[in-house]
Structures are given as C-alpha cells and as structure tokens.
Amino acid sequence: MKRTFSMSIILILALSFFNAAPKEVGKSDVKVAVLKFKTEVIDYGTIVQNSEGHRLFTFTNTGDAPLVITKVKTSCGCTVPNYSKAPVLPGKTGEINIKYDTNRLGAFTKTITVMSNADGGNKILKIKGNIVASL
C-alpha cells in the first residue's frame, strides 16, 4: 500500500512538472530594431575633382523597437559621416549623410560601419567612384 501511494505521488509530481513548461517554446516577447537600408553601396561614378561629395544613405527601422545609432565609423578621414542621434521609431526612416573629400584624384572605395542596437549587429556600407582632374 505504501509503495502504491509513493508511486502515485511521484506520478502526480512528474505530470505537474511537465504541465508547468511554457506552452509555446521559442516564442519571445523581446522587441528588436531592424535596420533596412535602401541601398548599401553608393557609386559616385566618374566625377570631376572638387565636385560635390555629399551623398545620402536612407534607411528604415522595420523592427518593433526604437532604433538608436550609437556610432558611424569610416575607413579613413577623407569620409565624414553625419547622422541623427535621436531614436528612429518603428516604421520611420532616417538618413546618414556622407561627405567624401573629392579633391583627391583616382579610384576610391571606402567603408562606413554603422553601429546600433539593431538586430544583426554592425552594418557595413560602401561608397566608390573615380575622381578625374578638372580641365
């Protein structure tokens, strides 16, 4: 009798343990920002020395949490970024303004690293082109 009672208690505890597990495994309530750029490469093409060097990278926060860009780092001092420090709300768009120093001659390829709280970590953008001497 004692053995049957002990087995019954163990069975009840085991069943209650499995019922305490979450119903949907893998479902998370964590909200994340998602950074989606219109283009990740801007081609200046062939331009004349000392031409306008400003270009815009446009992005959208396609996630469900505010996106905060913490830093934008370039591969050299000839490329200067400008961006808003304010959070970009879900569904809204933002811009990163890049100015390349166009007084240097020749072909160029530069990278821009965008650091933010977006899902997937840092995002690498590129600019490229060729600068020829003015006549």
Coordinates of all heavy atoms in Angstrom, one line a residue, residues 6-100:
S6 N 3.3 5.9 -2.8 CA 4.6 6.7 -3.2 C 4.7 6.8 -4.7 O 5.0 7.9 -5.2 CB 5.8 5.9 -2.7 OG 5.8 5.9 -1.3
M7 N 4.3 5.7 -5.4 CA 4.4 5.8 -6.9 C 3.3 6.8 -7.4 O 3.6 7.5 -8.4 CB 4.1 4.4 -7.5 CG 5.3 3.5 -7.2 SD 6.8 4.1 -8.0 CE 6.6 3.6 -9.6
S8 N 2.2 6.9 -6.8 CA 1.1 7.8 -7.2 C 1.6 9.2 -7.0 O 1.4 10.1 -7.8 CB -0.2 7.6 -6.4 OG -0.7 6.3 -6.6
I9 N 2.3 9.5 -5.9 CA 2.8 10.9 -5.6 C 3.8 11.2 -6.6 O 3.8 12.3 -7.2 CB 3.4 10.9 -4.2 CG1 2.3 10.8 -3.1 CG2 4.1 12.3 -3.9 CD1 1.2 11.9 -3.1
I10 N 4.7 10.3 -6.9 CA 5.8 10.6 -7.9 C 5.2 10.8 -9.3 O 5.6 11.8 -10.0 CB 6.8 9.4 -8.0 CG1 7.6 9.4 -6.7 CG2 7.7 9.5 -9.2 CD1 8.5 8.2 -6.5
L11 N 4.2 10.1 -9.7 CA 3.5 10.2 -10.9 C 2.8 11.6 -11.0 O 2.9 12.3 -12.0 CB 2.5 9.1 -11.2 CG 1.8 9.1 -12.5 CD1 2.7 9.0 -13.7 CD2 0.7 8.0 -12.6
I12 N 2.1 12.0 -10.0 CA 1.5 13.3 -9.9 C 2.5 14.4 -10.0 O 2.3 15.4 -10.8 CB 0.6 13.4 -8.7 CG1 -0.6 12.5 -8.8 CG2 0.1 14.9 -8.5 CD1 -1.4 12.4 -7.5
L13 N 3.6 14.3 -9.3 CA 4.6 15.4 -9.4 C 5.2 15.5 -10.8 O 5.5 16.6 -11.3 CB 5.7 15.1 -8.3 CG 5.3 15.4 -6.9 CD1 6.4 14.9 -5.9 CD2 5.0 16.8 -6.7
A14 N 5.5 14.3 -11.4 CA 6.0 14.3 -12.7 C 5.1 14.9 -13.7 O 5.5 15.7 -14.6 CB 6.4 12.9 -13.2
L15 N 3.8 14.6 -13.7 CA 2.8 15.2 -14.6 C 2.7 16.7 -14.4 O 2.6 17.5 -15.3 CB 1.5 14.5 -14.4 CG 1.4 13.1 -15.0 CD1 0.1 12.5 -14.7 CD2 1.7 13.1 -16.5
S16 N 2.7 17.2 -13.1 CA 2.6 18.6 -12.9 C 3.9 19.3 -13.3 O 3.8 20.5 -13.8 CB 2.3 18.9 -11.4 OG 3.4 18.5 -10.6
F17 N 5.0 18.7 -13.3 CA 6.3 19.3 -13.8 C 6.2 19.6 -15.3 O 6.5 20.6 -15.8 CB 7.5 18.4 -13.5 CG 8.7 18.9 -14.1 CD1 9.4 20.0 -13.6 CD2 9.3 18.3 -15.2 CE1 10.6 20.4 -14.1 CE2 10.4 18.7 -15.8 CZ 11.1 19.8 -15.2
F18 N 5.7 18.6 -16.0 CA 5.6 18.8 -17.5 C 4.5 19.8 -17.9 O 4.6 20.4 -18.9 CB 5.3 17.4 -18.2 CG 6.6 16.6 -18.2 CD1 6.6 15.4 -17.5 CD2 7.7 16.9 -18.9 CE1 7.7 14.6 -17.5 CE2 8.8 16.2 -18.9 CZ 8.9 15.0 -18.2
N19 N 3.5 19.9 -17.1 CA 2.4 20.9 -17.3 C 2.9 22.3 -17.1 O 2.3 23.3 -17.6 CB 1.2 20.6 -16.5 CG 0.3 19.6 -17.1 OD1 0.4 19.4 -18.3 ND2 -0.6 19.0 -16.4
A20 N 3.9 22.5 -16.2 CA 4.4 23.8 -15.9 C 5.3 24.4 -17.0 O 5.6 25.6 -17.0 CB 5.3 23.7 -14.6
A21 N 5.7 23.6 -18.0 CA 6.5 24.1 -19.1 C 5.7 25.1 -19.9 O 4.5 25.0 -20.0 CB 7.0 22.9 -20.0
P22 N 6.4 26.1 -20.5 CA 5.7 27.0 -21.4 C 5.0 26.4 -22.6 O 5.5 25.4 -23.1 CB 6.8 28.0 -21.9 CG 8.1 27.4 -21.4 CD 7.8 26.3 -20.5
K23 N 3.9 26.9 -22.9 CA 3.0 26.3 -24.0 C 3.7 26.5 -25.3 O 3.7 25.6 -26.2 CB 1.7 27.0 -24.0 CG 0.9 26.8 -22.8 CD 0.1 25.6 -22.8 CE -0.8 25.5 -21.6 NZ -1.0 24.2 -21.1
E24 N 4.3 27.6 -25.6 CA 5.0 27.9 -26.9 C 6.5 28.1 -26.7 O 6.9 29.1 -26.3 CB 4.4 29.1 -27.6 CG 2.9 29.0 -27.9 CD 2.3 30.2 -28.6 OE1 3.1 30.8 -29.3 OE2 1.2 30.5 -28.3
V25 N 7.2 27.1 -27.0 CA 8.7 27.1 -26.9 C 9.2 27.9 -28.0 O 8.9 27.7 -29.2 CB 9.3 25.7 -26.8 CG1 10.8 25.8 -26.7 CG2 8.7 25.0 -25.6
G26 N 10.1 28.9 -27.8 CA 10.8 29.6 -28.8 C 10.1 31.0 -29.1 O 10.7 31.8 -29.8
K27 N 8.9 31.2 -28.6 CA 8.2 32.4 -28.8 C 8.8 33.4 -27.8 O 8.8 33.2 -26.6 CB 6.7 32.3 -28.6 CG 6.0 33.5 -29.0 CD 4.5 33.3 -29.0 CE 3.8 34.6 -29.3 NZ 2.4 34.5 -29.2
S28 N 9.2 34.6 -28.3 CA 9.8 35.6 -27.4 C 9.0 36.9 -27.5 O 8.5 37.3 -28.6 CB 11.2 35.8 -27.9 OG 11.8 36.8 -27.1
D29 N 8.9 37.6 -26.4 CA 8.3 38.9 -26.3 C 9.3 40.0 -26.5 O 8.9 41.2 -26.3 CB 7.5 39.0 -25.0 CG 6.3 38.1 -25.0 OD1 5.8 37.8 -26.1 OD2 5.8 37.8 -23.9
V30 N 10.5 39.7 -26.8 CA 11.6 40.7 -26.9 C 11.4 41.5 -28.2 O 11.3 40.9 -29.3 CB 13.0 40.1 -26.9 CG1 14.0 41.1 -27.1 CG2 13.2 39.4 -25.6
K31 N 11.3 42.8 -28.1 CA 11.2 43.7 -29.3 C 12.6 44.1 -29.7 O 13.4 44.4 -28.9 CB 10.3 44.9 -28.9 CG 8.9 44.5 -28.6 CD 8.1 45.7 -28.4 CE 6.6 45.3 -28.2 NZ 5.7 46.4 -28.2
V32 N 12.8 44.1 -31.0 CA 14.1 44.5 -31.6 C 13.9 45.5 -32.7 O 12.9 45.5 -33.4 CB 14.9 43.3 -32.1 CG1 15.3 42.3 -31.0 CG2 14.2 42.6 -33.2
A33 N 15.0 46.3 -32.9 CA 15.0 47.2 -34.1 C 15.7 46.5 -35.2 O 16.6 45.7 -35.0 CB 15.8 48.5 -33.7
V34 N 15.2 46.8 -36.4 CA 15.8 46.1 -37.6 C 16.2 47.3 -38.6 O 15.3 48.1 -39.0 CB 14.9 45.1 -38.3 CG1 15.5 44.6 -39.6 CG2 14.5 44.0 -37.3
L35 N 17.4 47.3 -39.0 CA 17.9 48.4 -39.9 C 17.9 47.9 -41.3 O 18.7 47.0 -41.6 CB 19.4 48.7 -39.4 CG 20.1 49.9 -40.0 CD1 19.3 51.2 -39.8 CD2 21.4 50.1 -39.4
K36 N 17.1 48.5 -42.1 CA 17.0 48.2 -43.5 C 17.3 49.4 -44.4 O 16.6 50.4 -44.4 CB 15.6 47.7 -43.8 CG 15.3 47.3 -45.3 CD 16.0 46.0 -45.6 CE 15.6 45.7 -47.0 NZ 16.5 44.8 -47.6
F37 N 18.5 49.3 -45.1 CA 18.9 50.4 -46.0 C 18.3 50.2 -47.4 O 18.1 49.1 -47.9 CB 20.4 50.4 -46.1 CG 21.1 51.0 -44.9 CD1 21.5 50.3 -43.8 CD2 21.3 52.4 -44.9 CE1 22.1 50.9 -42.7 CE2 21.9 53.0 -43.8 CZ 22.3 52.2 -42.7
K38 N 18.0 51.4 -48.0 CA 17.5 51.4 -49.4 C 18.6 50.9 -50.3 O 18.3 50.1 -51.2 CB 17.2 52.9 -49.8 CG 16.5 53.0 -51.1 CD 16.0 54.4 -51.3 CE 15.3 54.6 -52.6 NZ 14.8 56.0 -52.8
T39 N 19.8 51.2 -50.1 CA 21.0 50.7 -50.8 C 22.2 50.7 -49.8 O 22.3 51.5 -49.0 CB 21.3 51.5 -52.1 OG1 22.4 50.9 -52.7 CG2 21.7 52.9 -51.8
E40 N 23.0 49.7 -50.0 CA 24.2 49.6 -49.1 C 25.5 50.0 -49.8 O 26.5 50.0 -49.2 CB 24.3 48.1 -48.6 CG 23.1 47.8 -47.7 CD 23.2 46.4 -47.1 OE1 24.3 45.8 -47.1 OE2 22.2 45.9 -46.6
V41 N 25.4 50.3 -51.1 CA 26.5 50.8 -51.9 C 26.1 52.0 -52.7 O 25.1 52.0 -53.4 CB 27.1 49.7 -52.8 CG1 28.2 50.2 -53.7 CG2 27.5 48.4 -52.1
I42 N 26.9 53.1 -52.6 CA 26.6 54.3 -53.4 C 27.8 54.4 -54.3 O 29.0 54.5 -53.9 CB 26.5 55.5 -52.5 CG1 25.1 55.5 -51.8 CG2 26.5 56.8 -53.4 CD1 24.9 56.7 -50.9
D43 N 27.5 54.5 -55.6 CA 28.5 54.6 -56.6 C 28.5 56.1 -57.1 O 27.5 56.5 -57.7 CB 28.3 53.7 -57.8 CG 29.4 53.6 -58.8 OD1 30.3 54.4 -58.7 OD2 29.3 52.8 -59.7
Y44 N 29.6 56.8 -56.8 CA 29.7 58.2 -57.3 C 29.9 58.2 -58.8 O 29.7 59.3 -59.4 CB 30.9 58.9 -56.6 CG 30.7 59.3 -55.2 CD1 30.4 58.5 -54.2 CD2 30.8 60.7 -54.9 CE1 30.3 58.9 -52.9 CE2 30.7 61.1 -53.6 CZ 30.4 60.2 -52.6 OH 30.3 60.7 -51.3
G45 N 30.3 57.1 -59.4 CA 30.6 57.1 -60.8 C 31.9 57.9 -61.0 O 32.8 58.0 -60.1
T46 N 32.1 58.4 -62.2 CA 33.3 59.2 -62.5 C 32.9 60.7 -62.4 O 32.0 61.2 -63.0 CB 33.8 59.0 -64.0 OG1 34.1 57.6 -64.1 CG2 35.0 59.8 -64.3
I47 N 33.6 61.4 -61.5 CA 33.3 62.8 -61.2 C 34.5 63.6 -61.3 O 35.7 63.1 -61.2 CB 32.6 62.9 -59.8 CG1 33.6 62.4 -58.7 CG2 31.3 62.3 -59.7 CD1 33.1 62.7 -57.3
V48 N 34.3 64.9 -61.5 CA 35.5 65.8 -61.6 C 36.0 66.2 -60.3 O 35.2 66.4 -59.3 CB 35.0 67.1 -62.4 CG1 36.1 68.1 -62.5 CG2 34.5 66.7 -63.8
Q49 N 37.3 66.4 -60.2 CA 37.9 66.8 -58.9 C 37.2 68.1 -58.3 O 36.8 69.0 -59.1 CB 39.4 67.2 -59.2 CG 40.2 67.5 -57.9 CD 41.6 67.7 -58.3 OE1 42.0 68.0 -59.4 NE2 42.5 67.5 -57.3
N50 N 37.0 68.1 -57.0 CA 36.4 69.1 -56.2 C 34.9 69.3 -56.5 O 34.3 70.3 -56.3 CB 37.1 70.5 -56.5 CG 38.5 70.5 -55.9 OD1 38.7 69.9 -54.9 ND2 39.4 71.1 -56.7
S51 N 34.3 68.2 -57.0 CA 32.8 68.1 -57.2 C 32.1 68.0 -55.8 O 32.8 67.8 -54.8 CB 32.4 67.0 -58.1 OG 32.9 67.1 -59.4
E52 N 30.8 68.1 -55.9 CA 30.0 67.9 -54.7 C 30.2 66.4 -54.1 O 30.0 65.5 -54.9 CB 28.5 68.1 -55.0 CG 27.6 67.9 -53.8 CD 27.9 68.8 -52.6 OE1 28.1 70.0 -52.8 OE2 27.9 68.3 -51.5
G53 N 30.6 66.3 -52.9 CA 30.9 65.0 -52.3 C 29.9 64.4 -51.4 O 30.1 63.4 -50.8
H54 N 28.8 65.1 -51.2 CA 27.7 64.7 -50.3 C 26.8 63.6 -51.0 O 26.4 63.8 -52.1 CB 26.8 65.8 -49.9 CG 27.5 66.7 -48.9 ND1 28.2 67.9 -49.3 CD2 27.5 66.7 -47.5 CE1 28.6 68.5 -48.2 NE2 28.3 67.8 -47.2
R55 N 26.5 62.5 -50.2 CA 25.6 61.5 -50.6 C 24.8 61.1 -49.4 O 25.3 61.2 -48.2 CB 26.3 60.3 -51.2 CG 27.1 60.6 -52.5 CD 26.2 61.0 -53.6 NE 27.0 61.2 -54.9 CZ 27.6 62.2 -55.3 NH1 27.6 63.3 -54.6 NH2 28.2 62.3 -56.5
L56 N 23.6 60.5 -49.6 CA 22.8 60.1 -48.5 C 22.5 58.6 -48.6 O 22.2 58.0 -49.6 CB 21.4 60.8 -48.6 CG 21.3 62.2 -48.2 CD1 19.9 62.7 -48.4 CD2 21.7 62.3 -46.7
F57 N 22.6 57.9 -47.4 CA 22.2 56.5 -47.2 C 20.9 56.7 -46.5 O 20.8 57.2 -45.4 CB 23.2 55.7 -46.4 CG 24.4 55.3 -47.1 CD1 25.6 55.9 -47.0 CD2 24.3 54.1 -48.0 CE1 26.7 55.5 -47.7 CE2 25.4 53.7 -48.7 CZ 26.6 54.3 -48.5
T58 N 19.8 56.2 -47.1 CA 18.5 56.2 -46.4 C 18.1 54.9 -45.9 O 18.4 53.8 -46.5 CB 17.4 56.7 -47.5 OG1 17.8 57.9 -48.0 CG2 16.0 56.8 -46.8
F59 N 17.6 54.8 -44.7 CA 17.2 53.6 -44.0 C 15.8 53.6 -43.4 O 15.3 54.7 -43.2 CB 18.3 53.1 -43.0 CG 18.4 54.1 -41.9 CD1 17.6 54.0 -40.7 CD2 19.3 55.1 -41.9 CE1 17.7 54.8 -39.7 CE2 19.5 56.0 -40.8 CZ 18.7 55.9 -39.7
T60 N 15.3 52.5 -43.1 CA 14.0 52.4 -42.4 C 14.2 51.4 -41.2 O 14.9 50.4 -41.4 CB 12.9 51.8 -43.3 OG1 12.8 52.7 -44.5 CG2 11.6 51.7 -42.7
N61 N 13.6 51.7 -40.1 CA 13.5 50.8 -39.0 C 12.3 49.9 -39.2 O 11.2 50.3 -39.0 CB 13.4 51.6 -37.7 CG 13.3 50.6 -36.5 OD1 13.4 49.4 -36.6 ND2 13.1 51.2 -35.3
T62 N 12.6 48.7 -39.7 CA 11.5 47.7 -40.0 C 11.2 46.8 -38.8 O 10.4 45.9 -38.9 CB 11.8 46.8 -41.2 OG1 13.0 46.1 -40.9 CG2 12.0 47.7 -42.4
G63 N 11.8 47.1 -37.6 CA 11.6 46.3 -36.4 C 10.4 46.8 -35.6 O 9.6 47.7 -36.1
D64 N 10.3 46.4 -34.4 CA 9.2 46.8 -33.5 C 9.7 47.5 -32.2 O 9.0 47.6 -31.2 CB 8.3 45.6 -33.1 CG 9.1 44.4 -32.6 OD1 10.3 44.6 -32.4 OD2 8.5 43.4 -32.5
A65 N 11.0 48.0 -32.3 CA 11.6 48.8 -31.2 C 12.3 50.0 -31.7 O 12.7 49.9 -32.9 CB 12.5 47.9 -30.4
P66 N 12.5 51.0 -31.0 CA 13.2 52.2 -31.5 C 14.7 51.8 -31.8 O 15.3 51.1 -31.1 CB 13.2 53.2 -30.3 CG 12.0 52.8 -29.5 CD 11.9 51.3 -29.7
L67 N 15.1 52.4 -32.9 CA 16.5 52.2 -33.4 C 17.4 53.3 -33.0 O 17.0 54.5 -33.2 CB 16.5 52.1 -34.9 CG 17.9 52.1 -35.6 CD1 18.6 50.7 -35.3 CD2 17.7 52.3 -37.1
V68 N 18.5 53.0 -32.3 CA 19.4 54.1 -31.9 C 20.8 53.8 -32.5 O 21.4 52.7 -32.3 CB 19.6 54.1 -30.4 CG1 20.6 55.2 -29.9 CG2 18.2 54.3 -29.7
I69 N 21.2 54.7 -33.4 CA 22.6 54.6 -34.0 C 23.5 55.2 -33.0 O 23.5 56.4 -32.6 CB 22.6 55.3 -35.3 CG1 21.7 54.6 -36.3 CG2 24.1 55.4 -35.8 CD1 21.6 55.3 -37.7
T70 N 24.5 54.4 -32.5 CA 25.4 54.8 -31.5 C 26.7 55.5 -32.0 O 27.3 56.4 -31.4 CB 25.8 53.7 -30.5 OG1 26.3 52.6 -31.3 CG2 24.6 53.2 -29.7
K71 N 27.1 55.0 -33.2 CA 28.3 55.5 -33.8 C 28.3 55.1 -35.3 O 27.9 54.1 -35.7 CB 29.5 54.9 -33.1 CG 30.9 55.5 -33.5 CD 32.0 54.9 -32.7 CE 33.3 55.6 -33.0 NZ 34.4 55.0 -32.2
V72 N 28.9 56.0 -36.1 CA 29.2 55.7 -37.5 C 30.7 56.0 -37.7 O 31.2 57.1 -37.5 CB 28.3 56.6 -38.5 CG1 28.7 56.3 -39.9 CG2 26.9 56.4 -38.2
K73 N 31.4 54.9 -38.1 CA 32.8 55.0 -38.3 C 33.2 54.7 -39.7 O 32.6 53.9 -40.4 CB 33.4 53.8 -37.4 CG 34.9 53.9 -37.3 CD 35.4 52.9 -36.2 CE 36.2 51.8 -36.9 NZ 36.7 50.8 -36.0
T74 N 34.1 55.5 -40.2 CA 34.6 55.4 -41.6 C 36.0 54.8 -41.7 O 36.7 54.9 -40.7 CB 34.5 56.8 -42.3 OG1 35.4 57.7 -41.6 CG2 33.1 57.4 -42.3
S75 N 36.3 54.3 -42.9 CA 37.6 53.7 -43.1 C 38.8 54.7 -43.2 O 39.9 54.3 -43.1 CB 37.6 52.7 -44.3 OG 37.2 53.4 -45.4
C76 N 38.5 56.0 -43.4 CA 39.6 57.0 -43.5 C 39.0 58.3 -43.1 O 37.8 58.5 -43.1 CB 40.2 57.0 -44.8 SG 39.3 57.8 -46.1
G77 N 39.9 59.3 -42.9 CA 39.5 60.6 -42.6 C 38.9 61.4 -43.7 O 38.4 62.5 -43.6
C78 N 39.0 60.9 -45.0 CA 38.5 61.6 -46.1 C 37.0 61.4 -46.3 O 36.4 62.0 -47.2 CB 39.2 61.1 -47.4 SG 39.0 59.3 -47.6
T79 N 36.4 60.6 -45.5 CA 35.0 60.4 -45.5 C 34.4 60.8 -44.1 O 34.8 60.3 -43.1 CB 34.7 58.9 -45.7 OG1 35.4 58.5 -46.9 CG2 33.2 58.6 -46.0
V80 N 33.5 61.8 -44.2 CA 32.9 62.3 -42.9 C 31.4 62.0 -42.9 O 30.6 62.4 -43.7 CB 33.1 63.8 -42.8 CG1 32.6 64.4 -41.5 CG2 34.6 64.1 -42.9
P81 N 30.9 61.2 -41.8 CA 29.5 61.0 -41.7 C 28.8 62.0 -40.8 O 29.4 62.6 -40.0 CB 29.5 59.6 -41.0 CG 30.7 59.6 -40.1 CD 31.8 60.5 -40.9
N82 N 27.5 62.1 -41.1 CA 26.7 63.0 -40.2 C 25.3 62.3 -40.1 O 24.7 61.9 -41.1 CB 26.5 64.4 -40.9 CG 25.8 65.3 -40.0 OD1 25.5 65.1 -38.8 ND2 25.5 66.5 -40.5
Y83 N 24.8 62.1 -38.9 CA 23.6 61.3 -38.7 C 22.9 61.9 -37.4 O 23.5 62.5 -36.6 CB 23.9 59.8 -38.5 CG 24.8 59.5 -37.4 CD1 24.3 59.1 -36.2 CD2 26.2 59.6 -37.5 CE1 25.1 58.8 -35.1 CE2 27.0 59.4 -36.4 CZ 26.5 58.9 -35.2 OH 27.3 58.6 -34.2
S84 N 21.6 61.6 -37.3 CA 20.9 62.0 -36.1 C 21.1 61.0 -35.0 O 21.1 59.8 -35.1 CB 19.4 62.0 -36.5 OG 18.6 62.3 -35.3
K85 N 21.2 61.6 -33.8 CA 21.4 60.8 -32.6 C 20.1 60.4 -32.0 O 20.0 59.6 -31.0 CB 22.2 61.5 -31.5 CG 23.6 62.1 -31.9 CD 24.4 61.4 -32.8 CE 25.8 62.1 -33.0 NZ 26.1 62.7 -34.2
A86 N 19.0 61.0 -32.5 CA 17.6 60.7 -31.9 C 17.2 59.3 -32.4 O 17.5 58.8 -33.5 CB 16.6 61.7 -32.5
P87 N 16.4 58.6 -31.5 CA 15.9 57.3 -31.9 C 15.0 57.3 -33.1 O 14.3 58.3 -33.3 CB 15.2 56.8 -30.7 CG 15.7 57.6 -29.5 CD 16.1 58.9 -30.2
V88 N 15.1 56.3 -34.0 CA 14.2 56.2 -35.1 C 13.1 55.2 -34.7 O 13.4 54.0 -34.5 CB 15.0 55.8 -36.4 CG1 14.0 55.6 -37.6 CG2 16.1 56.7 -36.7
L89 N 11.9 55.6 -34.7 CA 10.8 54.8 -34.2 C 10.5 53.7 -35.3 O 10.8 53.9 -36.5 CB 9.6 55.6 -33.9 CG 9.7 56.7 -32.8 CD1 8.5 57.5 -32.7 CD2 10.1 56.0 -31.5
P90 N 9.8 52.6 -34.9 CA 9.5 51.5 -35.8 C 8.6 52.1 -37.0 O 7.7 52.9 -36.8 CB 8.7 50.6 -35.0 CG 9.1 50.8 -33.6 CD 9.5 52.3 -33.5
G91 N 9.0 51.7 -38.2 CA 8.3 52.1 -39.4 C 8.8 53.5 -39.9 O 8.4 53.9 -41.0
K92 N 9.6 54.2 -39.2 CA 10.1 55.5 -39.7 C 11.4 55.4 -40.4 O 12.1 54.4 -40.3 CB 10.3 56.5 -38.5 CG 9.0 56.7 -37.7 CD 8.0 57.4 -38.6 CE 6.7 57.7 -37.8 NZ 5.7 58.3 -38.6
T93 N 11.8 56.4 -41.1 CA 13.0 56.4 -41.9 C 14.0 57.4 -41.3 O 13.6 58.3 -40.6 CB 12.8 56.8 -43.4 OG1 12.2 58.1 -43.4 CG2 11.9 55.8 -44.0
G94 N 15.3 57.2 -41.7 CA 16.3 58.1 -41.3 C 17.4 58.2 -42.3 O 17.3 57.5 -43.4
E95 N 18.4 59.0 -42.1 CA 19.4 59.2 -43.1 C 20.8 59.3 -42.5 O 21.0 59.8 -41.3 CB 19.2 60.6 -43.9 CG 18.0 60.7 -44.6 CD 17.8 62.1 -45.2 OE1 18.4 63.1 -44.7 OE2 17.0 62.2 -46.2
I96 N 21.8 58.9 -43.2 CA 23.2 59.1 -42.9 C 23.8 59.8 -44.0 O 23.8 59.3 -45.1 CB 23.9 57.7 -42.6 CG1 23.3 57.0 -41.5 CG2 25.4 58.0 -42.4 CD1 23.8 55.6 -41.2
N97 N 24.3 61.0 -43.7 CA 24.9 61.9 -44.8 C 26.4 61.6 -44.8 O 27.0 61.7 -43.8 CB 24.5 63.3 -44.4 CG 25.0 64.3 -45.5 OD1 25.5 63.9 -46.5 ND2 24.8 65.6 -45.2
I98 N 26.9 61.3 -46.0 CA 28.3 61.1 -46.1 C 28.9 62.2 -47.0 O 28.4 62.5 -48.1 CB 28.6 59.7 -46.8 CG1 28.0 58.6 -45.9 CG2 30.0 59.5 -47.0 CD1 28.6 58.4 -44.5
K99 N 30.1 62.7 -46.6 CA 30.8 63.7 -47.4 C 32.2 63.1 -47.7 O 32.9 62.9 -46.8 CB 30.9 65.0 -46.7 CG 31.6 66.0 -47.6 CD 31.8 67.4 -47.0 CE 32.4 68.4 -47.9 NZ 33.5 68.0 -48.7
Y100 N 32.4 62.9 -49.0 CA 33.7 62.4 -49.4 C 34.6 63.6 -49.9 O 34.0 64.4 -50.6 CB 33.6 61.3 -50.5 CG 35.0 60.8 -50.9 CD1 35.7 59.9 -50.0 CD2 35.5 61.1 -52.1 CE1 36.9 59.4 -50.4 CE2 36.8 60.6 -52.5 CZ 37.5 59.8 -51.6 OH 38.7 59.3 -52.0

